[in-house]
Amino acid sequence: AVKEETLRNEVCDSTEGDDQVLPQEFGPAIKPPILAKRKVAKDFPPGLPNMLWCALNSPEAQTGSNFLCDLLCAHDSVPPSTMVQKLMDLMKKGPKAEGSSVHFKDAHRTELAAQYVYGLLWASRRLVRRDSSAIFGPSSWDDIEVLMSQSIFETENMISGRRLAQGLQLAARGAKLLSMMLKTELQGHN
């Protein structure tokens, strides 16, 4: 019994990688801190989401990304659901030209948005919205379908060059996002 308790403590104290799964014989499938009550995230002040979205979807996207990451990491503030949907659209189709409905591929903006979205997903392990809803996630099956099919549709009829590289980058970020969303959704389940 003492040996099993020692082994259980060693497994729970290990911090290698982001794998939070324990062997089945040692109790719950997830480390106890993940199952603990999560902290309620703060909402953005009114007007701030639009300003930050414009900054993220501009040629100087790193400014918006830095502000968003600072609000998340230092202040536990999360964007409203409308901004989350815009982020999901950016991850599915790429940035959108201001005042138009045309999406284009911009590897820099996509990468910055992806890093923030990954941060939101990671924060959902410790934060929850006031209404107990998820911080970030798909709003429909269409979101999941588009993320899964990006590797095909974004690279179709492209042999080489910059457009192929941008399509592959968008598809890779979408695949990682889908993987992280599924891991986050399934945490706490065997």
Side-chain angles (χ1 to χ4, degrees):
V2 173
K3 183 179 178 182
E4 182 179 327
E5 185 64 30
T6 304
L7 186 56
R8 180 181 298 187
N9 290 337
E10 287 173 8
V11 172
C12 287
D13 292 339
S14 111
T15 56
E16 294 179 308
D18 64 348
D19 189 15
Q20 302 289 324
V21 179
L22 294 175
Q24 186 70 25
E25 66 223 32
F26 297 122
I30 302 295
K31 283 186 179 181
I34 291 176
L35 298 174
K37 186 175 181 180
R38 293 185 245 171
K39 185 177 173 183
V40 175
K42 299 173 191 161
D43 296 326
F44 282 2
L48 191 60
N50 288 335
M51 182 187 75
L52 291 174
W53 176 252
C54 289
L56 184 63
N57 198 27
S58 73
E60 297 293 325
Q62 66 273 8
T63 303
S65 176
N66 289 341
F67 280 124
L68 287 167
C69 289
D70 180 55
L71 285 168
L72 177 63
C73 297
H75 303 287
D76 291 335
S77 295
V78 295
S81 58
T82 55
M83 188 172 175
V84 167
Q85 186 57 45
K86 289 179 182 179
L87 284 165
M88 179 62 83
D89 286 342
L90 190 146
M91 294 301 296
K92 291 186 330 187
K93 304 170 189 166
K96 191 176 185 181
E98 261 324 296
S100 132
S101 62
V102 176
H103 291 272
F104 60 95
K105 294 173 185 70
D106 181 345
H108 182 64
R109 289 186 207 182
T110 303
E111 187 65 31
L112 291 171
Q115 294 305 316
Y116 178 65
V117 167
Y118 301 158
L120 282 175
L121 282 167
W122 186 257
S124 67
R125 295 177 180 213
R126 62 183 176 83
L127 298 173
V128 67
R129 290 187 188 276
R130 290 187 194 278
D131 62 358
S132 299
S133 64
I135 293 176
F136 187 89
S139 60
S140 68
W141 283 105
D142 179 59
D143 292 344
I144 294 170
E145 182 182 353
V146 169
L147 290 172
M148 288 182 74
S149 63
Q150 277 181 332
S151 61
I152 297 168
F153 294 120
E154 293 299 329
T155 60
E156 213 170 33
N157 299 324
M158 293 186 205
I159 298 170
S160 65
R162 182 178 179 164
R163 296 192 81 189
L164 176 63
Q166 290 171 335
L168 286 171
Q169 190 261 353
L170 183 64
R173 295 297 159 245
K176 183 173 180 181
L177 173 61
L178 183 60
S179 169
M180 289 181 75
M181 284 191 306
L182 291 173
K183 284 180 185 176
T184 301
E185 186 67 30
L186 297 175
Q187 79 180 9
H189 299 286
N190 289 334

